[in-house]
Amino acid sequence: MFPAILFYIFSVTIIISALMVIFSRDPINSVLFLIFSFVNAAGIFLLAGAEFLALILVIVYVGAVAVLFLFVIMMLDFNIENIKKETRKYLPLGLFIGAILFLEITLMIYTPEIFSNEFKIIGKSYTSNQSNTEILGNLIYTDYFLQFQLAGFILLVAMIGAIVLTLRHRDYVRRQNISNQINRDSKSSIELVNIKLNDRDKK
Amino acid sequence: MSFFISYITPLLIIFLQSLLVLIAVLLMAYFGIYADRKIWAAVQLRKGPNVVGPFGLLQSAADLLKLLFKEIIIPEKANKMIFILGPIVTCFVALSSWAVIPFAENWVVADINVGILYIFAVSSLGVYGIMMGGWASNSKYPFMGAMRSAAQMVSYEVSIGFVIITVLLCVGSLNLSDIVIAQKNLWFIFPLFPMFVIFFVSALAETNRPPFDLPEAEAELVAGYQTEYSSSLFMLYFLGELAATFLMCAMTTILFLGGWLPPLNIAPFTLIPGVVWFMLKVAFVFYLFSMVKALVPRYRYDQLMRLGWKVFLPISLLWVVLTASFLLIFDIAP
């Protein structure tokens, strides 16, 4: 009974905060509600016994991705009316994507074999006496190693691409070269020059 | 009746245990402030707090009462809801991580399988309190403090993650008690000393302690994200920060200094209970934190970013690979 109560608390909070993401007028509130719904989704993962996934969701989405999201949105200067006009242009596309997602979820619910409790992956069945960290580790790093590496490479390419697009060396920015600073000694940086005292007067 | 036995009694026990841990953490914070100020003063040849109570021991209580009885001032143009939520989030997050810390063998509120991930996840939420507070104040210094803090905490989390992975490779479990028990013969500080240094420095940056206290650098930003805060809301920030600092001390103790284990497994050391050893080690790490605060000048912002991304990240990544290869070659992986 207790897990059921928790489940309903979590899921109702997720739905309400997901709705608030769309309906709140202030973008910051939207992001905060989005984060709140992520945290509650982690709660649902915990109830399902997937403690590793729950915590990874919190670490990756809430702890890193959403922070940067919030960071960017806090820096932007929003004009709500302009945004509303702009979004109306994309309404048909949004409706189309929404319809596809809705169709997918409906299909999943009405296809019972997806919801069966037995999870068999590439012919192996995993017993429940292993912790799900171990099972996931085995799956990702042994059974699906190639796919995992490929996904990693795609991310790497995307990362390098983003760096190449944004990196600009501006000439007027002075940079600090730590090893140069440390390697300086009195011989290379101090020069003794003999000057005649009345040089200046001649000019 | 069976309903009471199966639901209410365990809940009550958990509630009482949590209360006990909360009291322990608050006591640590109370004496932490005092110790911090005394050590800082001693380094600068001052006396520090010495007026209120014997040796100034009641100074923290006096400060606490002063803060509580002040008026809460909320700026006119602040976002009131988020302004109040900010410190609450910081404090809540910092205190809730303590649920999985083992103070001694079996002295833990929640002995979960993924304890270290839980701490990592929950402490990564600490940045939200600061960002919310800084943004909601609707003032430029808090906002800049919050932005700095966000970048800083996200950067140093990466190297902390790699350090944790290295330790986990040597343990083979994510349970905090298992991590301590794995150090029965050899504390991890000896084979993994470079990682200990990286973890220690990253912990300073993660908790916004000096020399990485750029989010509240008083020379540039008044008081950073807490400029507009007063009274009990300010106190919540302060408490949250201290609880997070002590959490990092406890993490260092568990990951590298053998948690509740005595330094040598022979008679005079084993007679002292584990919780005493644990608290002694936490106090020692906190002493190191305070000494760093007193001795090292504040970093410049670009130096901070350089240290995190260009020095700590490559070194910790290299050590993950080295440790994994070493364990694999000599076939001693758990």
Side-chain angles (χ1 to χ4, degrees):
Chain A
M1 192 187 81
F2 194 58
I5 296 173
L6 277 180
F7 173 77
Y8 284 113
I9 292 175
F10 282 135
S11 41
V12 167
T13 340
I14 290 181
I15 292 170
I16 291 175
S17 52
L19 285 175
M20 288 304 289
V21 173
I22 309 170
F23 291 121
S24 61
R25 292 184 63 82
D26 193 346
I28 297 278
N29 285 350
S30 295
V31 179
L32 289 176
F33 274 116
L34 184 70
I35 293 159
F36 191 53
S37 66
F38 279 152
V39 175
N40 281 293
I44 290 213
F45 270 126
L46 272 184
L47 282 182
E51 73 263 8
F52 185 77
L53 276 182
L55 291 172
I56 288 293
L57 181 79
V58 174
I59 291 171
V60 175
Y61 278 92
V62 185
V65 176
V67 172
L68 298 178
F69 220 66
L70 195 63
F71 192 91
V72 171
I73 288 189
M74 278 179 177
M75 304 274 255
L76 292 178
D77 189 21
F78 275 105
N79 183 349
I80 305 270
E81 293 307 311
N82 260 352
I83 290 169
K84 275 191 175 163
K85 262 182 222 158
E86 287 289 309
T87 38
R88 258 177 226 136
K89 272 195 268 178
Y90 297 106
L91 195 63
L93 185 70
L95 280 178
F96 180 65
I97 293 172
I100 287 179
L101 281 177
F102 187 73
L103 203 73
E104 276 178 356
I105 292 170
T106 332
L107 270 177
M108 266 170 83
I109 290 171
Y110 288 103
T111 328
E113 56 263 31
I114 293 174
F115 268 165
S116 64
N117 279 327
E118 245 179 293
F119 39 98
K120 283 192 207 130
I121 301 132
I122 53 170
K124 275 189 205 172
S125 61
Y126 285 92
T127 48
S128 54
N129 55 13
Q130 276 174 302
S131 76
N132 60 50
T133 318
E134 269 174 78
I135 297 175
L136 272 174
N138 268 329
L139 266 179
I140 294 174
Y141 291 102
T142 311
D143 300 336
Y144 284 97
F145 182 67
L146 184 65
Q147 287 86 337
F148 178 70
Q149 285 275 317
L150 281 175
F153 267 109
I154 292 170
L155 282 176
L156 183 70
V157 169
M159 192 177 84
I160 293 173
I163 292 172
V164 167
L165 283 176
T166 50
L167 185 71
R168 263 175 301 166
H169 276 295
R170 281 157 294 194
D171 295 330
Y172 56 85
V173 177
R174 286 175 157 261
R175 284 174 192 282
Q176 188 179 18
N177 191 335
I178 304 276
S179 59
N180 274 359
Q181 285 182 338
I182 294 171
N183 287 328
R184 266 163 74 100
D185 53 2
S186 57
K187 273 178 202 155
S188 65
S189 49
I190 298 177
E191 200 180 343
L192 275 176
V193 184
N194 285 318
I195 40 166
K196 286 171 192 160
L197 277 176
N198 29 3
D199 254 11
R200 198 170 37 165
D201 301 333
K202 282 176 191 169
K203 283 175 190 170
Chain B
M1 195 59 210
S2 65
F3 175 79
F4 274 94
I5 290 168
S6 55
Y7 287 109
I8 302 298
T9 324
L11 266 182
L12 212 67
I13 290 174
I14 291 174
F15 177 75
L16 287 176
Q17 283 174 333
S18 314
L19 203 68
L20 215 66
V21 171
L22 184 69
I23 291 170
V25 174
L26 291 181
L27 275 178
M28 264 192 255
Y30 180 92
F31 289 109
I33 304 171
Y34 175 74
D36 207 17
R37 294 172 72 175
K38 271 289 188 193
I39 293 167
W40 204 4
V43 170
Q44 297 173 344
L45 295 179
R46 291 185 287 115
K47 279 187 175 164
N50 65 345
V51 176
V52 191
F55 308 108
L57 269 170
L58 296 176
Q59 181 67 48
S60 307
D63 288 344
L64 180 85
L65 285 177
K66 180 198 78 176
L67 281 172
L68 276 180
F69 287 118
K70 275 187 169 181
E71 184 190 355
I72 297 182
I73 298 165
I74 298 178
E76 176 95 344
K77 291 200 170 173
N79 187 328
K80 286 190 185 59
M81 195 65 203
I82 299 180
F83 188 82
I84 294 170
L85 267 178
I88 295 174
V89 168
T90 305
C91 198
F92 167 78
V93 161
L95 290 177
S96 60
S97 312
W98 281 92
V100 295
I101 296 281
F103 286 84
E105 200 157 13
N106 298 327
W107 280 34
V108 48
V109 178
D111 193 16
I112 58 176
N113 275 332
V114 284
I116 191 106
L117 269 184
Y118 171 83
I119 290 185
F120 193 56
V122 174
S123 67
S124 72
L125 300 182
V127 65
Y128 282 109
I130 293 174
M131 283 184 82
M132 285 159 86
W135 179 80
S137 301
N138 207 352
S139 159
K140 67 182 146 191
Y141 295 122
F143 185 64
M144 286 161 99
M147 290 293 115
R148 282 182 178 191
S149 160
Q152 174 181 333
M153 289 170 94
V154 169
S155 311
Y156 279 85
E157 230 158 62
V158 182
S159 45
I160 285 188
F162 278 124
V163 175
I164 289 176
I165 287 174
T166 327
V167 173
L168 292 184
L169 280 173
C170 305
V171 179
S173 164
L174 282 83
N175 186 307
L176 288 167
S177 303
D178 288 350
I179 292 175
V180 173
I181 290 166
Q183 302 177 57
K184 204 141 213 169
N185 299 319
L186 183 65
W187 293 359
F188 286 144
I189 184 173
F190 299 116
L192 299 173
F193 187 73
M195 297 314 265
F196 169 75
V197 175
I198 290 182
F199 187 82
F200 183 76
V201 179
S202 303
L204 288 175
E206 184 75 9
T207 49
N208 296 332
R209 292 276 300 181
F212 303 109
D213 60 340
L214 286 146
E216 45 193 295
E218 67 269 10
E220 309 145 38
L221 297 180
V222 190
Y225 60 90
Q226 22 180 267
T227 306
E228 306 287 350
Y229 281 90
S230 55
S231 180
S232 47
L233 290 178
F234 175 79
M235 194 192 70
L236 282 179
Y237 262 134
F238 203 78
L239 182 65
E241 210 162 87
L242 261 166
T245 310
F246 272 104
L247 182 80
M248 278 298 162
C249 296
M251 281 272 280
T252 320
T253 309
I254 289 167
L255 289 177
F256 292 101
L257 299 176
W260 66 79
L261 297 172
L264 289 170
N265 209 4
I266 43 173
F269 296 112
T270 44
L271 291 179
I272 299 168
V275 65
V276 176
W277 281 118
F278 183 81
M279 294 316 293
L280 275 177
K281 288 170 186 174
V282 169
F284 174 70
V285 180
F286 186 75
Y287 169 73
L288 292 183
F289 272 39
S290 297
M291 282 307 270
V292 171
K293 177 181 182 173
L295 295 174
V296 187
R298 185 177 293 133
Y299 260 56
R300 212 173 58 211
Y301 190 67
D302 61 316
Q303 290 172 331
L304 174 89
M305 282 295 147
R306 180 185 163 274
L307 186 71
W309 289 107
K310 292 187 178 171
V311 181
F312 283 175
L313 183 62
I315 293 178
S316 52
L317 191 57
L318 181 75
W319 264 85
V320 170
V321 176
L322 275 182
T323 313
S325 324
F326 185 83
L327 292 175
L328 196 70
I329 290 169
F330 292 97
D331 205 22
I332 44 175

